[in-house]
Amino acid sequence: MAFIPLRRFHTCVNRYQGNHKVQRFTCLDQFLVMAFAQLTYRESLRDIEACLRAMQPRLYHMGIRSRVSRNTLANANEVRDWRIYADFAHILIDKARRLYTDEDFGQELEDATLYALDSTTIDLCLTLFPWARFRKAKGAVKMHTLMDLRGNIPSFIHISDGKLHDVNVLDLLLLEAGAYYVMDRAYLDFERLYRIHQALAFFVTRPKSVFAFSRRYSHPADKTNGIQCDQTIMLRSFYPAKKYPEPLRRIRYLDPETGERLVFLTNNFDLPALTVAALYKARWQIELFFKWIKQHLRIKAFYGTSKNAVKTQIWTAISTYLLVAILKRELRLEQSLYTILQVLSVSLFEKTPILQALTSHDSQTLDIECCKQLILFD
């Protein structure tokens, strides 16, 4: 927790008057307890209370100044504004992105930033979470994420109800000139794509299986690399052509590994066609990120049923992930985030320097097969 910028955390608390009329259990205590629950995979409020009360003499040195009660924690999650922890998570995002600016993500784009945009659905029981109606008999919230693939750090996160369509999130993004935005076909909206083009940014996406276009020019294509065609096209249907009046680049690619035929649309005419295909393939890293946080953080089972409690838990989970990523970078650790989390989960109450705890074991003896999907975070 020494990696927490406390001054900026208290700024977030004061912005929303989080400690107004609070005598003992402050917002910092709440955050530390929720981070403890994330790092040690606590199942419930009662579980959190039992574990922390068993270690009561050591809580002061962990930064927790008050006695932990499940009723007090439940009330804090219910009434204290979730935006406190959302704002603080964005502060950690900014810090983590600066630490990972020199990270190599496998593509030569000079100084440009490569983003992957996608969302994941977190299912909820409609009986317990009636405010999260998604379908007739199903509840859910969505976590829309724009991930910087240089270091796999989320640069933008928006938590909404399950009914918000993915494409609407494009209206919330602050577009960065010269950046590349990689999206699947759920974000295919030509009016919004043209907005990206006008912002001098680039996009790579996939079209619907059938869409009307006219070919203007065919570029040379090396079919030995899987590129079947590389074309300059114009949209032909009335409304799409009105919304995107500029030429587009259409690339058809045959994946030599799977034999799958893929079609890409982009507004970049300078990159090699094979690089465009590789950029879209890199989008899979955000899917691995969603899988990772669902497996290793507590964002599928919740300690409270209100909207405020759910968002508070998700944002504290994201902050915990970012703190571990910052710790890994600043201490120059070679272990994966998975390994670091496992070590922390069993050593939180040990009076051992954190660097010693994370480097005293032989990481080479770990079974790589059990976490090979997490090579992404090394």
Side-chain angles (χ1 to χ4, degrees):
M1 293 297 112
F3 292 90
I4 294 179
L6 284 177
R7 183 181 62 82
R8 303 197 67 183
F9 178 83
H10 291 306
T11 299
C12 297
V13 173
N14 295 333
R15 183 179 301 143
Y16 300 103
Q17 299 182 343
N19 287 332
H20 181 61
K21 293 185 179 180
V22 173
Q23 296 181 356
R24 293 185 179 179
F25 195 70
T26 65
C27 288
L28 180 59
D29 290 332
Q30 180 189 6
F31 178 81
L32 294 176
V33 170
M34 293 295 288
F36 164 81
Q38 293 291 337
L39 291 171
T40 57
Y41 316 111
R42 296 301 98 196
E43 298 289 340
S44 64
L45 292 171
R46 188 180 296 274
D47 192 4
I48 297 172
E49 179 190 57
C51 291
L52 291 180
R53 286 195 175 185
M55 295 293 178
Q56 188 67 37
R58 301 188 181 186
L59 296 190
Y60 183 85
H61 298 285
M62 294 177 65
I64 302 173
R65 298 294 188 258
S66 61
R67 184 179 175 86
V68 178
S69 167
R70 66 179 183 275
N71 292 329
T72 303
L73 179 58
N75 182 69
N77 290 341
E78 181 84 21
V79 301
R80 294 182 188 172
D81 201 323
W82 61 268
R83 292 177 295 176
I84 296 171
Y85 307 103
D87 288 6
F88 181 61
H90 284 96
I91 291 171
L92 296 179
I93 285 172
D94 182 65
K95 183 176 181 179
R97 289 189 65 193
R98 283 188 276 108
L99 289 172
Y100 284 87
T101 51
D102 59 345
E103 189 83 359
D104 181 26
F105 56 88
Q107 300 298 327
E108 295 294 334
L109 296 178
E110 297 180 354
D111 295 329
T113 305
L114 177 61
Y115 295 106
L117 177 63
D118 207 346
S119 69
T120 185
T121 302
I122 302 171
D123 295 331
L124 300 173
C125 175
L126 195 57
T127 304
L128 297 176
F129 303 87
W131 51 268
R133 182 172 294 277
F134 178 36
R135 296 189 178 125
K136 185 175 181 180
K138 184 179 179 181
V141 294
K142 276 187 178 181
M143 188 170 76
H144 307 269
T145 304
L146 181 69
M147 173 175 282
D148 185 349
L149 295 183
R150 195 184 300 275
N152 303 296
I153 302 297
S155 62
F156 168 85
I157 294 176
H158 177 69
I159 300 169
S160 71
D161 56 56
K163 291 183 178 181
L164 183 67
H165 195 281
D166 292 352
V167 75
N168 294 319
V169 177
L170 290 173
D171 299 332
L172 305 177
L173 298 182
L174 295 176
L175 300 173
E176 179 182 333
Y180 291 80
Y181 296 87
V182 185
M183 305 161 282
D184 63 15
R185 64 183 64 184
Y187 296 90
L188 186 66
D189 181 279
F190 289 108
E191 183 177 4
R192 292 177 171 91
L193 292 181
Y194 190 57
R195 200 177 303 154
I196 295 176
H197 178 72
Q198 289 180 312
L200 304 180
F202 304 105
F203 60 83
V204 178
T205 187
R206 293 182 60 193
K208 300 290 177 63
S209 55
V210 178
F211 80 108
F213 67 92
S214 58
R215 179 176 58 87
R216 274 195 172 183
Y217 184 75
S218 291
H219 305 275
D222 185 1
K223 295 187 178 182
T224 60
N225 292 328
I227 303 299
Q228 295 187 318
C229 71
D230 184 358
Q231 303 170 332
T232 298
I233 66 169
M234 293 291 294
L235 299 177
R236 198 170 60 190
S237 298
F238 178 77
Y239 288 108
K242 183 177 181 181
K243 294 175 180 177
Y244 199 107
E246 299 287 333
L248 281 166
R249 186 181 182 187
R250 177 179 179 269
I251 298 170
R252 191 167 72 237
Y253 174 69
L254 176 64
D255 192 334
E257 298 178 1
T258 63
E260 184 180 4
R261 286 182 172 84
L262 302 171
V263 178
F264 306 117
L265 285 181
T266 181
N267 62 333
N268 186 292
F269 293 87
D270 298 324
L271 289 178
L274 195 60
T275 301
V276 174
L279 292 183
Y280 190 83
K281 186 176 182 179
R283 192 197 68 84
W284 186 248
Q285 296 183 14
I286 194 171
E287 303 287 356
L288 293 179
F289 168 75
F290 289 143
K291 180 180 179 181
W292 192 91
I293 62 173
K294 284 185 174 181
Q295 286 180 341
H296 303 292
L297 296 175
R298 299 289 300 178
I299 62 168
K300 294 176 69 176
F302 292 93
Y303 306 131
T305 58
S306 69
K307 182 183 294 187
N308 196 83
V310 169
K311 289 190 175 184
T312 296
Q313 185 170 333
I314 294 176
W315 281 112
T316 52
I318 293 167
S319 297
T320 303
Y321 167 83
L322 292 166
L323 281 172
V324 176
I326 291 169
L327 176 149
K328 170 181 166 65
R329 194 65 170 180
E330 291 200 345
L331 296 183
R332 300 180 181 179
L333 298 173
E334 296 181 359
Q335 293 93 334
S336 66
L337 291 187
Y338 171 82
T339 303
I340 295 173
L341 281 175
Q342 295 303 313
V343 174
L344 291 177
S345 68
V346 297
S347 59
L348 287 186
F349 295 106
E350 298 293 332
K351 294 184 178 180
T352 306
I354 191 168
L355 186 58
Q356 179 182 338
L358 293 171
T359 57
S360 59
H361 69 289
D362 184 7
S363 61
Q364 298 300 321
T365 61
L366 293 176
D367 183 8
I368 301 302
E369 288 298 320
C370 73
C371 54
K372 60 183 180 181
Q373 75 273 21
L374 303 179
I375 293 174
L376 164 69
F377 299 99
D378 287 342

